[in-house]
Amino acid sequence: MPDITVIGGGLAGSEAAWQAAELGCSVELWEMRPVKETPAHRTEHFAELVCSNSLGNNALETASGLLKEELRRLNSIILRCADENSVPAGGALGVAREDFPRAVTETIHEHPKIEVVRREATELPDGPTVIATGPLTSDALVEKIEVLSGETLYFYDAASPIIHRDSLDESVVYLASRYGKGEAAYLNCPMTEEQYYTFVEDLSTAELSPIKDFEEDMYFEGCLPVETIARRGRDTLRFGPMKPVGLPDPRTGGIPYAVVQLRQDDAEGRLFNIVGFQTRLKWGEQRRVFRTIPGLEGADFARMGVMHRNTYLPANRMLEATMRIRADLSGAPLFFAGQLTGVEGYTESTAMGHIAGTNAARLARGEEPITMPTGTMMGALAHYITTKEGTLQPINSNWGLVPAVPKKENGKRLTKPERRQRQARLALEELEEFMGIGSAV
Ligand SMILES: Cc1cc2nc3c(=O)[nH]c(=O)nc-3n(C[C@H](O)[C@H](O)[C@H](O)COP(=O)(O)OP(=O)(O)OC[C@H]3O[C@@H](n4cnc5c(N)ncnc54)[C@H](O)[C@@H]3O)c2cc1C
């Protein structure tokens, strides 16, 4: 029996297997392709990119760039192969679609401690295991995980955009709960009649991202995208998610014609999601249309709205920040990784693979699993998905997750890029300290 079994040879599983093997453990990596296909993958390669060939921004003053730099410093195999197979992509880390997964596959095959097994997991193996089967986990395995979670997993993802609070125009938005009930919990963006109808027109005619065949079911069965509601009638939104009743604007005392509500998304109140605005508009269209909402003209999006099939765990109820299943749910040495844990995106999935693989190896070696510091982007993501109150929606890396820095330094106002650079430097210092090699930033 291997020291560790990793199920799923995607971005997270490849990273997890590699990290565990590098820590000296023998690893079996199970991948069901090509024995059983998913609706999105096209090859037998590990770490195949199912859609875009970009791993996101590479600049250190972006959250995604910081996450990549942390992974590089932690000897990530995915980042190494991506860097070695990069293609020009502006500030992003674009990779050659064929060469990158081929390089990951060859590197995994060449590792003396990893044995590749091409089979579908339909049961949870005994012994230390990392499950990294992604958003398109096969049905048989989903059933087994559901027994552990005690609930139906989320099959279709309809997420609203998330916005940084510090980018809102606070002279326009106001804090209130409907009819003043309970604590004032929502930020409200008031609209006049004219603004409302212009917005509905813009929303109804904005361009949609294409839906692939396998996503059709979700579109009809899932909750309705905001643009679909808008197309049903000019006033439908005003009686739905944009209902203004009970929300007087404190500046006028009157009830606006319509209201867009923002709900706090993180414990610290740095991030807010737009209530009921799940959407499949193209990302550029989301920025264009949603920035016409009063108060959101300068909105800085932490995550755009997305709709596609997605299987992910309520990690906030199921997992420790080490990616191990909570002891009260199972005593098994079971870890989860990748998109299945409630993160969104190639790099984020890789990061959770790194944490799970490292900790599974530590456990197999008789050591305690470790939690990454929340001042790092990796640690902050793990913390967010495992502590989020209420319903967990898939989340990208973003600056709202790590501690903010003061807006002024020595009396001088810092620009946003300057603040981001400082946040990145602090995160990397914490990482270096965590790695036990002192600050070298
Ligand atoms: C349609 C679609 C488009 C997307 N587009 C983007 C994008 O453009 N950019 C982005 O950053 N993210 C995108 N994502 C999210 C993307 O899936 C993740 O970012 C990333 O691929 C997740 O990595 P992962 O390792 O968790 O899962 P995956 O990369 O999907 O890997 C999971 C692996 O597990 C295997 N597997 C599944 N079930 C079993 C089983 N029972 N036994 C053995 N093996 C199994 C699968 O074959 C697969 O190889 C998209 C997702 C979907 C579904």
Side-chain angles (χ1 to χ4, degrees):
M1 193 162 120
D3 293 332
I4 292 164
T5 306
V6 176
I7 304 179
L11 289 142
S14 301
E15 184 69 38
W18 175 265
Q19 294 305 331
E22 286 289 278
L23 288 170
C25 294
S26 59
V27 179
E28 258 186 27
L29 174 57
W30 294 16
E31 168 52 55
M32 69 176 184
R33 290 175 290 123
V35 182
K36 183 165 182 171
E37 300 293 347
T38 80
H41 293 81
R42 297 283 170 266
T43 74
E44 299 177 10
H45 289 319
F46 296 135
E48 181 182 330
L49 304 176
V50 286
C51 191
S52 156
N53 69 329
S54 168
L55 272 63
N57 210 307
N58 217 2
L60 204 47
E61 56 277 359
T62 64
S64 179
L66 170 61
L67 186 63
K68 288 185 192 63
E69 183 57 26
E70 290 179 3
L71 280 163
R72 282 188 190 100
R73 293 188 186 204
L74 288 165
N75 187 31
S76 157
I77 188 61
I78 293 295
L79 260 291
R80 196 173 92 198
C81 291
D83 285 335
E84 287 171 2
N85 291 281
S86 64
V87 294
L93 177 55
V95 295
R97 183 177 294 284
E98 305 268 304
D99 298 338
F100 161 70
R102 190 176 298 121
V104 175
T105 308
E106 284 170 8
T107 314
I108 292 278
H109 272 287
E110 281 163 14
H111 201 295
K113 301 290 268 182
I114 304 178
E115 188 185 338
V116 172
V117 180
R118 296 282 180 175
R119 64 176 279 194
E120 178 192 5
T122 53
E123 304 285 339
L124 301 172
D126 296 328
T129 302
V130 176
I131 301 185
T133 42
L136 305 168
T137 297
S138 72
D139 293 346
L141 192 60
V142 168
E143 277 176 28
K144 294 292 175 310
I145 303 171
E146 278 178 354
V147 173
L148 285 174
S149 68
E151 60 187 271
T152 305
L153 299 177
Y154 301 73
F155 287 102
Y156 298 106
D157 176 15
S160 304
I162 298 179
I163 296 173
H164 289 274
R165 178 174 190 161
D166 66 4
S167 67
L168 302 177
D169 183 346
E170 301 271 352
S171 69
V172 176
V173 299
Y174 60 95
L175 192 64
S177 283
R178 211 176 289 281
Y179 298 116
K181 278 189 189 149
E183 204 185 331
Y186 289 86
L187 291 173
N188 300 281
C189 308
M191 281 189 184
T192 61
E193 183 174 351
E194 192 189 345
Q195 284 168 332
Y196 171 76
Y197 288 118
T198 308
F199 176 72
V200 169
E201 178 63 23
D202 276 355
L203 188 58
S204 316
T205 52
E207 222 184 317
L208 302 175
S209 45
I211 282 191
K212 299 201 180 72
D213 294 349
F214 63 89
E215 290 173 306
E216 290 292 342
D217 285 354
M218 173 270 296
Y219 179 64
F220 294 111
E221 286 173 23
C223 52
L224 284 177
V226 65
E227 60 276 6
T228 307
I229 304 176
R231 270 189 246 111
R232 288 192 167 173
R234 299 174 80 217
D235 290 306
T236 315
L237 274 175
R238 215 160 61 80
F239 293 98
M242 292 179 67
K243 193 166 55 179
V245 293
L247 290 170
D249 184 340
R251 273 166 298 247
T252 63
I255 302 283
Y257 197 71
V259 155
V260 173
Q261 291 205 293
L262 308 178
R263 186 193 297 119
Q264 187 170 327
D265 199 75
D266 63 336
E268 295 77 16
R270 296 190 285 241
L271 300 172
F272 279 73
N273 64 64
I274 318 186
V275 180
F277 270 45
Q278 54 273 6
T279 178
R280 72 176 182 96
L281 293 192
K282 286 190 163 173
W283 287 10
E285 292 287 81
Q286 290 186 38
R287 287 193 195 90
R288 179 179 69 81
V289 176
F290 297 152
R291 281 184 183 147
T292 66
I293 297 170
L296 303 195
E297 293 83 355
D300 188 1
F301 291 86
R303 187 199 64 196
M304 307 310 297
V306 281
M307 287 195 81
H308 60 73
R309 183 187 154 177
N310 198 356
T311 304
Y312 69 95
L313 307 174
N316 50 346
R317 291 195 289 284
M318 282 188 75
L319 301 183
E320 313 271 3
T322 59
M323 296 299 117
R324 186 175 178 175
I325 192 160
R326 290 198 175 160
D328 54 329
L329 291 176
S330 167
L334 191 57
F335 294 79
F336 287 86
Q339 182 119 344
L340 205 48
T341 64
V343 294
E344 173 87 22
Y346 299 144
T347 312
E348 287 81 352
S349 298
T350 302
M352 296 308 111
H354 193 294
I355 294 176
T358 303
N359 280 326
R362 288 182 66 88
L363 197 70
R365 291 172 8 159
E367 297 161 2
E368 278 299 306
I370 40 174
T371 303
M372 289 194 67
T374 51
T376 62
M377 195 56 81
M378 279 173 72
L381 264 174
H383 175 74
Y384 179 91
I385 58 174
T386 54
T387 59
K388 168 89 172 76
E389 281 184 20
T391 307
L392 174 69
Q393 292 278 9
I395 184 91
N396 290 115
S397 53
N398 69 77
W399 289 115
L401 297 175
V402 292
V405 293
K407 290 192 171 176
K408 282 186 176 174
E409 199 174 82
N410 301 327
K412 181 178 161 276
R413 201 174 170 79
L414 297 173
T415 62
K416 199 187 274 181
E418 285 170 339
R419 276 188 277 139
R420 300 312 186 215
Q421 280 162 8
R422 279 160 181 71
Q423 281 179 292
R425 194 179 64 220
L426 290 173
L428 292 175
E429 279 172 3
E430 269 210 50
L431 181 70
E432 296 286 349
E433 204 175 313
F434 171 72
M435 291 166 69
I437 53 176
S439 173
V441 188

